[in-house]
Amino acid sequence: MRDRRRYLHWVFEAKKRFGLCVLDYAITSNHVHLLVKDTRPNVIAQSMQLIAGRTAQEYNQRRAMQGAFWEDRYPAIEIDEHLVRCLGSRAEVEKGHRQGENVYSALGQTNSGRYLIVFFVRKKTRQALPISARDMTRAERRRYEEK
């Protein structure tokens, strides 16, 4: 838990230092998902260098270890491609419940079998800007499986 808190500390330090726009995140026991927006050139690269470097330094110092901490570089995936791949062809989109609201939700099943609901804003360029994502509730999953 301490390592996760420290990782998150450095994410928000990067937000302060470089202007990293953090839309959402998930920190698991063995990997991290960051949903960030590129606000200017090199923001993501500088931020990831800070986050990964400081997290590794702190962990290695605490454990009296040396050497590589991270297995590999972070894979940066453009969000539209990632959403399509995660949700696959079974995604269904419905407009938000408030009139004039441009917030949509997509129900879908990932290739690994997880049932997700993703909330996003649809831009005039027809690109999806994700706001958040979570596991479906039982009611949402029933509705999804009925269609």
Side-chain angles (χ1 to χ4, degrees):
M1 191 58 108
R2 179 179 182 179
D3 295 326
R4 293 179 195 183
R5 283 195 308 270
R6 293 305 298 160
Y7 186 90
L8 201 53
H9 164 81
W10 289 112
V11 167
F12 287 98
E13 182 63 28
K15 181 179 179 178
K16 284 192 289 190
R17 287 188 193 186
F18 307 118
L20 180 68
C21 181
V22 180
L23 301 172
D24 207 353
Y25 62 88
I27 302 174
T28 71
S29 62
N30 66 350
H31 68 281
V32 176
H33 290 277
L34 290 175
L35 183 58
V36 297
K37 184 177 177 185
D38 206 0
T39 54
R40 63 178 192 271
N42 296 320
V43 168
I44 294 175
Q46 289 174 325
S47 298
M48 292 309 299
Q49 185 177 15
L50 174 74
I51 296 164
R54 293 296 172 89
T55 303
Q57 285 175 349
E58 288 180 0
Y59 183 87
N60 283 342
Q61 284 173 354
R62 206 169 40 256
R63 305 261 196 234
M65 296 175 66
Q66 292 182 336
F69 174 78
W70 297 101
E71 185 176 315
D72 202 357
R73 285 189 41 146
Y74 64 94
I77 301 171
E78 193 172 329
I79 194 60
D80 289 331
E81 172 196 336
H82 187 65
L83 267 181
V84 169
R85 196 170 70 237
C86 283
L87 293 172
S89 60
R90 296 188 61 194
E92 298 176 9
V93 180
E94 62 183 45
K95 193 163 183 175
H97 296 291
R98 296 184 183 149
Q99 187 169 350
E101 185 179 63
N102 293 326
V103 177
Y104 293 79
S105 63
L107 301 174
Q109 185 177 12
T110 65
N111 293 335
S112 64
R114 191 171 173 192
Y115 290 89
L116 297 177
I117 182 166
V118 178
F119 300 94
F120 61 94
V121 176
R122 191 160 183 184
K123 307 291 276 180
K124 289 180 182 176
T125 60
R126 301 188 54 80
Q127 289 182 311
L129 174 64
I131 300 167
S132 187
R134 62 170 170 75
D135 290 318
M136 286 185 210
T137 64
R138 286 186 181 139
E140 290 164 340
R141 186 166 170 179
R142 276 194 305 272
R143 189 179 77 207
Y144 172 74
E145 290 175 338
E146 288 173 358
K147 294 186 178 186

